[in-house]
Amino acid sequence: MTRPVTHETVTESGDQGGPGVQATAADDKRRVGDSVFRLLATGSGLTILVILALVAAFLVIQGSPALLAPAETLKTQGYGEFAAWVAPFAFGTVWAAILALAMAVPVAIGIALFISHYAPRAIAQPLGYVIDLLAAVPSVVFGLWGTSVLAVATQPLYLWLNTHLSWIPFFGGQASGTGRTILTAAVVLAVMVLPITTSMCREVFLQAPRLHEEAALALGATRWEMIRMAVLPFARPGIVAAVMLGLGRALGETMAVAMVMSGGRNITFQVLTSNNPNTIAATIAQNFPEAFGLKTNQLVAAGLILFLITLVVNMLARWIVARRAEYSGAN
Amino acid sequence: MSAVTLRPLRSDTLTAGRLPRWSVPVAIVGSLLIGYLIADGLQESPNLALVAGLGFVLFLVTMEVATRLVEGRRQASDRRATHLVTAAFVLALVPLGSVLWEAISQGIGRLDATFFSYSMRNVVGAGGGAAHAITGTLWITGLAALISVPIGLMTAIYLAEYGSGNRTAKAITFFVDVMTGIPSIVAGLFAYSLMAMIFGPGSVFGFSGSIALSVLMIPVVVRSCEELLRLVPNELREAAYALGVPKWITIVRIVLPTAISGLVSGIILAIARVIGETAPLMIAAGFTASLNNNLLDNPMMTLPVFVYDSYAHPGSDVTPYLDRAWAGALTLILIVMLLNLIGRLVARRFAPKTGR
Amino acid sequence: MRITPFASSLVALAAAVSLAGCAANEAAPAGSAAATSSGATLTGKGSSAMKAAQEKWVADFQTANSGVTVNYSPEGSGAGRSAFIAGAAQFAGSDRALKDEEMGAGKFAGCAADSSALNLPVYVSPIAIIFNIEGVDSLTLDPATAAGIFAGKITTWNDPAIAKTNPGVTLPDGNITAVHRADDSGTTSNFTDTLNALAPTVWTEAASDAWPAAIGGEAATGTSGVVGAVTNGTNTIGYADASQAAKLGHVTLLVDGKKLTPTADAASKIVDASPLVKGRATNDLALKLDRTSEGAYPAVLVSYVIVCETYQDSATAKLVKDYVGYIASSAGQQSAATAAGSAPLSSAFQAKVKAAVDSIK
């Protein structure tokens, strides 16, 4: 796909050696180049829509037998009545993602700012590199780490919170004996979301117009005031995009949640117990290997629900943060 | 923007004293000590996390009060921001350090020549290696990148340069966001059924895995590249247009190089995001103990599947399996590290020289 | 253009590794593709419980027949059965036999048009109740108490019902964390069936792949997840394939005054004592497990290899016959027992499986 572009670039850059006197043939070539390039770009965008439509069609076609089956059939051949079955998982998916983002977003913005505006330049680059590395850790390893290190380390803390602060609804119930709670899973998710969110925020912060920053500083602003006035407003759409990427990962993460959290089917806001609402992605991963016939369809239908959740969450985010379309260049 | 307006400098800000340099370390140590004492009172054996948490809150309060008294309100909020930002960074280093430490300390033992030169064919128990999984991962991820990067980057260019504001672009942006939320296992199922439809049942091979990974990778590439392209100052584009440079050459020779460092790190992140996926590859690319370099025939092993399988289904002596699992995980991290390095070199070569 | 150097370096990296990384243990002809592409390939899919055993069988078989590649993908029994029915796998590994309504001529895409399938039990493994309690090394439970613990009716370790069968053991005053499988599994099905068969008044739920939703407790994914949760937690109890949990304490079951431990011998007895499912073809060996048979450890997982009665081509049939024949042979069973800790089939039952394998066309 990039090949023809490479060729064109070489010839065109040759043309640029002698500016001013351009033959009409070259003009034609330009127009052709422009429209080819535009076509490629538009085509790629439409390809994405086609892929997404295919995925959606797959979900609907494979999921519909379970969605259309009467509740009685689902009770005997599937996992039980669809709405009642999927509701706790839908809740768990959103709840775990909210908990994870509540922890990850402030920290991610903090790290990004630290790397872009606080750390000495000599160490900022390596630091960014190290955080990027975290993105490379496979989810299985996060799962292993979550169960064997994090859950074990946090369990006493959970017990303490449970004994002393159980009047806060979140910390009520009977504390887990293993620490494999939704809170632990959310911490793991937060750690998994961090690199992608941080990296994007960092790049955006680094692109903040230098002149604005210097102007603010010259006016006597402290570093924090400069960041609030010159960097953050400029970076806001980028931060939203970074958060959305993180949210996508948190909603759809499969293996780590399946390994870390003790998931069940009850809807609760308590975060320290063994009975947590499972997430949709983890439920699919856990049950798919043994699923058979209608059960497979029901799991795919759950995938469709997750797809719809993502759709709704995105619409909500868009509605809350009305994106500024024309900020390009920030001037 | 309007939340903080610059006030005229108060006369006392210049004359007021500043906190001595030693105040910060002293405050940290002091707060931690007091935090420890409080935690000691609350718990039988003080929890490290509790001590650190209490200590940090104490430190913030002390510094806030001290700076307010000595340096003034604006300096106090500046210092508070500095401390919070630094704390966020230190906080993130804890799980990062812990995960990397686990992977390195447990994985280094099996990271020997055998691990890279042997597959698991006819190996039971100790020994064996991940040559088949490493090559499989490189083939499948490489192909996924070859599919996703052009499509993703071109889409990002369309969104940032051509379509801004129009309905198609809005729809694409929205659905790309939705696409980031496709659970990885659904992508695997999708690729598996697609291949079953085209090539008949049981079509489990590397290419199918690449398709699954592409579904996950494309939106990440688009999203990170789009934002970065938008951040390229309009003056650059306008200057190019003014010189009579066609739009597409402006994009290729001005816009992309300006954003190259971010683009490369976005693409690397997208690769890192998918290279460790387990569930979709297990379904789409299958499972084998033997080396296979053909993307279009027979199952192809990948590192994440190798790691998961070694962990989840060990033989009766668990140790060699777990050792291989950790070594595989460490290898995966090393591969991404290498990619990152290559990416940065490429970015440096093409990036324009700037003041940054 | 900006991407090309990057992408090409990626491909170069892949090429470099694949050239340098021709697996040293695979007899690859110099300069050509690996051995896998030359010989015949047999594809199996299914139960993850017998993955360790299959790994050993595959290794033995490939060593004896160089050039042949067997891929056993441990995606789960359900996936294995689906793949076998769709013709995507030449044999399936399954933690249960196909049901009557799933059997029948012509229902299997990979088999000859008039062929049904055969269920052959080849992998037997005891399910141990594993525990991790501070200061307790051995634990004896009767089925009713075990069922009470897993049903959440007995919640502390110093409950009189537990103390009764454990004289002289100091049980802590801690809450019981009972760990079950979060994923659907044959292990859960066999375990809940055991509880239901031996303590029907306490455990009223029928056997099922999924842990009953009405009963809570700690959930963990996969055998290794359960073992990990029990190991890392305190005052925990769970159930898992005995061979995968060698480092943890195993509960001794007290059935009708007899102490039963999850050993290979006690487990394989049940296979010989159980009748076959009625109304099947002569060579179909689907078992109806009798968990109350005398002296047999009741919680046993029996996994099947599902094959065609008649394959579409004789080459595949020959390969399947050779492979499954080896699995069911005395050598194959013994080698799985060493590598995977399974219970070898008795020689009488081996003969039955061999007769069935010989009938494959």
Side-chain angles (χ1 to χ4, degrees):
Chain A
M1 209 145 203
T2 49
R3 286 242 169 258
V5 178
T6 318
H7 272 286
E8 295 285 336
T9 315
V10 172
T11 39
E12 285 290 344
S13 59
D15 285 350
Q16 280 180 327
V21 273
Q22 297 277 349
T24 40
D27 276 348
D28 281 349
K29 204 194 265 176
R30 275 178 186 191
R31 233 166 281 136
V32 170
D34 250 348
S35 48
V36 165
F37 196 76
R38 195 195 162 104
L39 208 71
L40 279 179
T42 321
S44 300
L46 295 178
T47 311
I48 292 189
L49 290 186
V50 169
I51 295 175
L52 194 73
L54 280 176
V55 173
F58 158 75
L59 287 171
V60 170
I61 292 170
Q62 295 276 312
S64 55
L67 291 173
L68 298 176
E72 281 310 307
T73 325
L74 277 184
K75 268 179 198 149
T76 48
Q77 292 174 33
Y79 296 103
E81 198 208 332
F82 188 74
W85 173 76
V86 84
F89 304 143
F91 170 79
T93 305
V94 176
W95 179 225
I98 291 175
L99 284 173
L101 283 192
M103 288 183 268
V105 171
V107 176
I109 294 177
I111 304 171
L113 274 180
F114 183 79
I115 295 173
S116 66
H117 286 84
Y118 282 87
R121 265 180 65 181
I123 59 167
Q125 269 239 327
L127 285 181
Y129 185 64
V130 170
I131 299 278
D132 282 0
L133 261 191
L134 207 56
V137 179
S139 44
V140 175
V141 171
F142 276 113
L144 274 175
W145 174 76
T147 43
S148 59
V149 179
L150 187 66
V152 177
T154 48
Q155 200 264 337
L157 185 70
Y158 291 166
L159 264 184
W160 185 86
L161 287 173
N162 185 244
T163 356
H164 294 90
L165 298 174
S166 58
W167 49 271
I168 301 176
F170 296 139
F171 300 149
Q174 189 193 326
S176 160
T178 57
R180 297 170 61 255
T181 71
I182 196 167
L183 191 58
T184 311
V187 172
V188 172
L189 280 179
V191 176
M192 297 178 79
V193 164
L194 265 188
I196 206 155
T197 317
T198 305
S199 170
M200 198 159 159
C201 286
R202 182 190 71 214
E203 293 299 335
V204 174
F205 291 156
L206 281 174
Q207 299 287 340
R210 190 72 164 179
L211 282 176
H212 293 200
E213 295 177 12
E214 280 165 5
L217 290 174
L219 285 170
T222 62
R223 180 155 51 179
W224 175 235
E225 284 161 354
M226 176 271 283
I227 288 171
R228 287 195 63 176
M229 286 185 304
V231 180
L232 290 185
F234 170 83
R236 194 174 299 146
I239 296 177
V240 173
V243 171
M244 294 313 291
L245 267 187
L247 183 67
R249 175 132 214 212
L251 285 174
E253 177 50 42
T254 312
M255 237 47 190
V257 177
M259 285 164 79
V260 170
M261 188 169 73
S262 158
R265 280 181 54 184
N266 53 334
I267 300 181
T268 170
F269 283 104
Q270 295 172 348
V271 296
L272 301 180
T273 69
S274 286
N275 292 316
N276 307 292
N278 211 349
T279 68
I280 290 181
T283 304
I284 298 177
Q286 284 168 340
N287 295 320
F288 187 75
E290 295 296 322
F292 194 61
L294 201 58
K295 285 188 174 183
T296 315
N297 298 124
Q298 195 164 353
L299 289 175
V300 176
L304 183 64
I305 299 292
L306 178 53
F307 193 74
L308 293 178
I309 290 178
T310 324
L311 208 78
V312 171
V313 166
N314 273 294
M315 282 165 146
L316 272 180
R318 220 149 277 256
W319 179 67
I320 294 169
V321 191
R323 289 189 63 186
R324 298 181 215 175
E326 286 300 331
Y327 60 89
S328 182
N331 43 17
Chain B
M1 179 101 198
S2 58
V4 170
T5 43
L6 264 186
R7 305 213 172 155
L9 285 175
R10 290 214 317 256
S11 58
D12 65 324
T13 322
L14 284 172
T15 49
R18 290 183 59 80
L19 284 177
R21 289 183 74 93
W22 49 261
S23 60
V24 175
V26 167
I28 290 177
V29 173
S31 310
L32 282 179
L33 265 177
I34 300 173
Y36 176 80
L37 291 176
I38 297 177
D40 201 32
L42 288 171
Q43 264 180 324
E44 284 158 27
S45 53
N47 186 301
L48 198 65
L50 191 66
V51 173
L54 280 173
F56 181 64
V57 172
L58 278 173
F59 169 73
L60 275 186
V61 173
T62 338
M63 285 311 288
E64 179 82 21
V65 172
T67 340
R68 260 183 193 253
L69 289 178
V70 181
E71 296 183 350
R73 193 184 56 80
R74 285 178 49 218
Q75 295 299 332
S77 66
D78 184 46
R79 272 194 192 258
R80 193 197 319 132
T82 309
H83 296 147
L84 284 175
V85 162
T86 316
F89 182 74
V90 174
L91 184 68
L93 284 183
V94 174
L96 170 79
S98 176
V99 170
L100 286 183
W101 169 249
E102 281 286 305
I104 293 171
S105 64
Q106 310 234 37
I108 200 88
R110 260 320 307 279
L111 218 61
D112 45 26
T114 320
F115 189 77
F116 291 102
S117 57
Y118 275 66
S119 71
M120 288 302 292
R121 189 178 168 89
N122 300 350
V123 175
V124 175
H132 59 316
I134 295 170
T135 46
T137 283
L138 291 178
W139 280 121
I140 290 177
T141 321
L143 184 60
L146 277 182
I147 298 172
S148 313
V149 171
I151 294 184
L153 190 61
M154 289 307 280
T155 307
I157 289 173
Y158 173 75
L159 293 177
E161 306 292 332
Y162 289 100
S164 48
N166 78 24
R167 200 173 280 177
T168 325
K170 275 187 182 150
I172 292 176
T173 316
F174 177 74
F175 284 110
V176 162
D177 277 355
V178 173
M179 215 168 156
T180 60
I182 293 179
S184 49
I185 191 156
V186 168
L189 290 173
F190 165 72
Y192 177 78
S193 337
L194 190 73
M195 291 301 136
M197 247 163 61
I198 300 173
F199 298 102
S203 306
V204 169
F205 40 62
F207 177 64
S208 171
S210 296
I211 296 290
L213 292 191
S214 297
V215 171
L216 297 169
M217 191 171 164
I218 289 173
V220 184
V221 176
V222 177
R223 215 61 183 91
S224 45
C225 291
E226 183 203 344
E227 284 310 321
L228 287 154
L229 291 180
R230 281 184 191 281
L231 293 179
V232 173
N234 261 342
E235 292 96 328
L236 291 181
R237 298 188 182 93
E238 282 154 10
Y241 298 151
L243 288 172
V245 181
K247 184 164 186 172
W248 75 278
I249 295 188
T250 309
I251 295 170
V252 171
R253 303 200 38 108
I254 310 286
V255 178
L256 291 186
T258 310
I260 189 80
S261 125
L263 292 181
V264 169
S265 92
I267 289 167
I268 299 278
L269 265 177
I271 294 178
R273 161 81 178 76
V274 298
I275 202 171
E277 279 297 346
T278 315
L281 288 176
M282 181 110 184
I283 294 170
F287 177 94
T288 172
S290 310
L291 189 72
N292 176 13
N293 282 326
N294 186 349
L295 279 163
L296 289 173
D297 194 22
N298 285 333
M300 198 182 243
M301 194 63 162
T302 48
L303 268 174
V305 177
F306 176 82
V307 172
Y308 180 71
D309 180 68
S310 305
Y311 151 77
H313 318 119
S316 49
D317 183 12
V318 184
T319 324
Y321 289 84
L322 281 185
D323 287 349
R324 274 199 296 265
W326 283 108
L330 187 56
T331 313
L332 206 50
I333 297 173
L334 289 176
I335 290 177
V336 175
M337 228 167 105
L338 206 66
L339 281 181
N340 221 323
L341 260 174
I342 297 174
R344 264 156 217 263
L345 289 180
V346 171
R348 186 169 300 171
R349 221 188 116 197
F350 288 98
K353 304 286 168 280
T354 64
R356 261 185 218 218
Chain C
M1 166 181 186
R2 307 296 148 201
I3 297 313
T4 319
F6 167 72
S8 56
S9 56
L10 196 77
V11 173
L13 197 69
V17 173
S18 25
L19 283 179
C22 277
N25 56 327
E26 294 187 25
S32 80
T36 31
S37 54
S38 58
T41 304
L42 186 63
T43 305
K45 203 183 256 193
S47 162
S48 56
M50 60 162 130
K51 155 75 182 19
Q54 285 280 3
E55 187 179 86
K56 177 69 177 152
W57 290 326
V58 167
D60 289 352
F61 190 70
Q62 285 178 163
T63 314
N65 305 278
S66 61
V68 173
T69 297
V70 182
N71 289 320
Y72 182 79
S73 181
E75 284 169 39
S77 304
R81 290 192 299 268
S82 302
F84 180 72
I85 289 172
Q90 280 125 27
F91 70 91
S94 172
D95 293 342
R96 70 163 169 82
L98 289 173
K99 291 176 186 165
D100 288 343
E101 64 266 24
E102 291 159 1
M103 300 285 288
K107 286 192 180 174
F108 304 94
C111 304
D114 59 343
S115 162
S116 185
L118 292 177
N119 300 286
L120 308 172
V122 292
Y123 176 86
V124 181
S125 177
I127 301 169
I129 303 179
I130 51 181
F131 64 92
N132 177 15
I133 313 165
E134 275 170 19
V136 178
D137 295 327
S138 73
L139 193 67
T140 308
L141 298 174
D142 55 51
T145 315
I149 290 174
F150 280 99
K153 290 171 185 153
I154 297 172
T155 55
T156 55
W157 281 112
N158 56 1
D159 193 281
I162 303 175
K164 197 179 72 190
T165 47
N166 291 284
V169 178
T170 330
L171 293 158
D173 174 25
N175 286 325
I176 298 178
T177 301
V179 187
H180 61 260
R181 288 282 288 270
D183 46 335
D184 287 7
S185 77
T187 310
T188 301
S189 172
N190 281 286
F191 184 68
T192 50
D193 188 43
T194 309
L195 294 181
N196 184 246
L198 271 66
T201 49
V202 188
W203 191 270
T204 48
E205 305 269 351
S208 81
D209 277 358
W211 189 253
I215 297 169
E218 177 102 3
T221 306
T223 299
S224 33
V226 171
V227 173
V230 171
T231 313
N232 293 327
T234 43
N235 296 333
T236 45
I237 188 166
Y239 57 91
D241 203 324
S243 60
Q244 301 284 300
K247 286 183 185 142
L248 287 160
H250 294 180
V251 167
T252 306
L253 276 180
L254 191 65
V255 185
D256 301 331
K258 278 213 177 90
K259 286 192 171 184
L260 301 172
T261 49
T263 58
D265 283 348
S268 57
K269 270 184 195 163
I270 204 170
V271 175
D272 293 317
S274 298
L276 295 179
V277 173
K278 290 196 183 81
R280 297 281 178 106
T282 355
N283 286 316
D284 190 287
L285 298 176
L287 289 166
K288 187 164 171 46
L289 288 180
D290 175 14
R291 300 193 189 273
T292 51
S293 47
E294 180 81 21
Y297 183 77
V300 166
L301 170 77
V302 176
S303 289
Y304 296 80
V305 162
I306 301 175
V307 295
C308 294
E309 275 180 330
T310 312
Y311 281 88
Q312 279 169 1
D313 65 304
S314 56
T316 312
K318 164 115 181 25
L319 208 54
V320 170
K321 276 171 88 160
D322 287 353
Y323 182 61
V324 181
Y326 171 71
I327 289 179
S329 71
S330 148
Q333 287 293 310
Q334 211 52 54
S335 120
T338 351
S342 63
L345 295 169
S346 66
S347 46
F349 204 86
Q350 282 171 17
K352 281 191 203 169
V353 181
K354 181 163 190 315
V357 171
D358 287 342
S359 77
I360 297 173
K361 288 189 280 287

